[in-house]
Amino acid sequence: LCCCEYVDRRGERNHLAACCCDCEDLDEGCERWLTCKSLPPGALERIADTVADRLRVPWFAGAVKVNVSLVPPLVLLPVFLHVAALHFLLGLVILTSLPVVVLWYYYLTHRRKERTLFFLSLGLFSLAYMYYVFLQEVVPRGHVGYAQVVTLTCGLILMLAALSRAKKDPGYLPVAASNKKSSQQGLPDKSVKGSSNGLHSIATSGAASSRAVNGEAKGNSTMPATGSEGVKKDWCTKCQLVRPARAGHCRLCGRCVRRLDHHCVWINSCVGEQNHQAFILALCFFMLTAVYGIILTLHTICRGQTPFVALFYCPGAYSDYSSALSFTCVWYCAIVTAGMGYILLIQLLNISYNVTEREARLALRDNTGRRLLGGLVIDTGQYNRGFLCNWSHFLSLGSSPPQRSAEDIV
């Protein structure tokens, strides 16, 4: 293949120049739209699949497919922020609607059990664009020193390093080679969907009626499987393996994860035994870096005011477009920081009570947990050994071999 050629989803050789050719579904859709007729069932899905398959960029060994969910944040975020900087009312409307749109898209993908790179793309591009605005609009004013820029940059680098570590293996349980082969043969050719439709299951009648709780199939059988030491463990009908205590099956990833906490859309991966510490570290670095950047920007734009007061009352914020753009980005960062701060608070409380997010949701479903601190944390009481012991256990995650973990015992 040359740099502009690729093999499409039908297995045929195609070229980037033919991106608008031979799309019968699109032609039919346009014709029906002009004649005021309704589209046939599944037409929009087929058009979307065709567009996603043809959205590619030239590369050395053939055109590389671009994930559609990566594009909207790269295009819409700068446009929205620049429009919001034109007037105070525009900024109020856009900054209020952005969280609503993001939550709606999260609800849509979560309900369909789809994996998407939208949130990861939005997070990384937001960091890059906020850093760019800080260097282009705030630093040239002369109120931010060289040491402060270096400190902010170091915090950003440390956060990205922790995020890279959190993106690695969360603690997947090994799958048998025969099960891998049957899974690969049965899985549909859609990288966005993380469903487990193609995974081999010998108990399809029980799995068909399953429901999902935080990414885990409720229909996964918990039939006791006795090990060599007489310890009862859970049997996963999806992965066809015996899983230890606190492990769970993620339907988005299609794998069982040791000490599964939750599937995080912001890193597009599960948070489990092997990457939970890095996930918390990335959140902490993000909070410190974001708050520090907000304070530096507000000190530059609103001179003589405290950061908290300047966030709500800054008379000279819209005196020029540069200040308005910086102030709009500050508010965008404040909204994102508040959301991430809530996630970090819940995580810290769960660690203090030695409960995972998955266990908390299952306890709420089965009505077996206690609501504490106004419902912020659900104490199951099963693994809670006190504040210091709980944090000591969390800090030692992944340091010992999995088979020697005391939590494997049910």
Side-chain angles (χ1 to χ4, degrees):
L1 298 178
C2 75
C3 62
C4 295
E5 291 181 322
Y6 63 94
V7 178
D8 60 17
R9 59 193 177 100
R10 298 177 180 177
E12 300 176 357
R13 191 166 180 167
N14 215 325
H15 198 278
L16 288 179
C19 60
C20 298
C21 303
D22 299 330
C23 187
E24 298 177 359
D25 294 319
L26 182 59
D27 295 338
E28 183 183 1
C30 293
E31 182 180 350
R32 285 177 171 268
W33 178 72
L34 291 174
T35 56
C36 299
K37 296 180 180 179
S38 60
L39 292 176
L44 290 178
E45 288 78 4
R46 291 192 297 269
I47 294 174
D49 291 340
T50 303
V51 172
D53 185 53
R54 297 184 181 185
L55 185 61
R56 298 173 181 264
V57 293
W59 202 246
F60 298 105
V64 178
K65 187 177 180 180
V66 178
N67 197 310
V68 182
S69 58
L70 290 172
V71 180
L74 306 182
V75 177
L76 297 180
L77 182 63
V79 173
F80 284 160
L81 291 179
H82 279 276
V83 172
L86 295 176
H87 195 271
F88 169 75
L89 294 179
L90 285 175
L92 183 63
V93 171
I94 290 178
L95 292 177
T96 305
S97 60
L98 272 179
V100 177
V101 173
V102 172
L103 289 176
W104 170 80
Y105 187 72
Y106 168 76
Y107 170 76
L108 185 66
T109 55
H110 185 73
R111 185 182 62 179
R112 294 180 179 179
K113 299 302 174 186
E114 295 180 353
R115 295 192 68 177
T116 174
L117 294 176
F118 173 83
F119 299 97
L120 180 62
S121 173
L122 177 62
L124 293 178
F125 184 68
S126 297
L127 288 174
Y129 193 71
M130 295 304 105
Y131 186 68
Y132 169 78
V133 171
F134 179 80
L135 294 181
Q136 292 294 320
E137 307 294 343
V138 179
V139 174
R141 295 174 179 263
H143 301 293
V144 179
Y146 177 76
Q148 293 171 321
V149 176
V150 171
T151 303
L152 186 69
T153 305
C154 290
L156 187 62
I157 293 175
L158 290 175
M159 191 218 67
L160 292 176
L163 184 63
S164 175
R165 174 61 187 87
K167 281 284 295 174
K168 295 183 179 179
D169 181 15
Y172 292 123
L173 291 174
V175 182
S178 58
N179 193 30
K180 278 185 180 180
K181 185 176 180 180
S182 60
S183 302
Q184 292 173 357
Q185 292 176 352
L187 279 174
D189 189 16
K190 291 185 180 180
S191 58
V192 225
K193 294 189 176 182
S195 64
S196 53
N197 294 334
L199 291 175
H200 178 67
S201 175
I202 58 172
T204 53
S205 59
S209 61
S210 64
R211 292 187 300 172
V213 180
N214 192 29
E216 170 163 3
K218 184 182 176 183
N220 281 357
S221 175
T222 55
M223 294 183 299
T226 306
S228 57
E229 300 177 359
V231 178
K232 291 185 177 180
K233 302 181 181 182
D234 288 337
W235 170 261
C236 178
T237 59
K238 298 292 185 179
C239 298
Q240 297 295 297
L241 53 81
V242 177
R243 60 189 184 191
R246 310 192 78 175
H249 182 87
C250 177
R251 292 189 62 186
L252 298 179
C253 297
R255 296 282 300 274
C256 281
V257 181
R258 191 178 294 275
R259 196 185 178 275
L260 174 63
D261 188 84
H262 69 288
H263 182 94
C264 181
V265 295
W266 294 104
I267 65 174
N268 195 33
S269 177
C270 288
V271 177
E273 183 178 275
Q274 298 296 325
N275 66 341
H276 202 168
Q277 296 173 351
F279 178 74
I280 296 296
L281 196 61
L283 284 176
C284 292
F285 278 131
F286 171 80
M287 292 295 299
L288 294 175
T289 306
V291 171
Y292 187 63
I294 290 174
I295 292 175
L296 290 179
T297 306
L298 289 177
H299 273 313
T300 302
I301 300 175
C302 309
R303 303 291 296 173
Q305 292 184 344
T306 60
F308 183 78
V309 175
L311 190 62
F312 296 94
Y313 180 72
C314 186
Y318 287 87
S319 58
D320 58 276
Y321 187 76
S322 176
S323 300
L325 179 61
S326 302
F327 189 72
T328 303
C329 291
V330 162
W331 259 105
Y332 175 74
C333 287
I335 294 173
V336 175
T337 304
M340 293 300 170
Y342 176 77
I343 295 176
L344 178 60
L345 175 63
I346 298 300
Q347 286 289 314
L348 295 179
L349 291 176
N350 286 343
I351 294 171
S352 301
Y353 285 90
N354 199 3
V355 60
T356 63
E357 184 69 20
R358 169 181 167 272
E359 291 168 350
R361 297 195 180 192
L362 291 177
L364 283 179
R365 185 196 69 185
D366 300 333
N367 197 21
T368 57
R370 294 186 305 152
R371 289 180 176 270
L372 301 176
L373 303 178
L376 290 177
V377 63
I378 308 299
D379 182 20
T380 61
Q382 189 174 4
Y383 301 102
N384 188 1
R385 300 296 181 267
F387 180 82
L388 294 179
C389 291
N390 293 338
W391 272 96
S392 175
H393 166 73
F394 173 76
L395 295 176
S396 63
L397 285 179
S399 59
S400 58
Q403 61 270 20
R404 299 181 182 178
S405 175
E407 293 185 357
D408 288 351
I409 303 178
V410 179

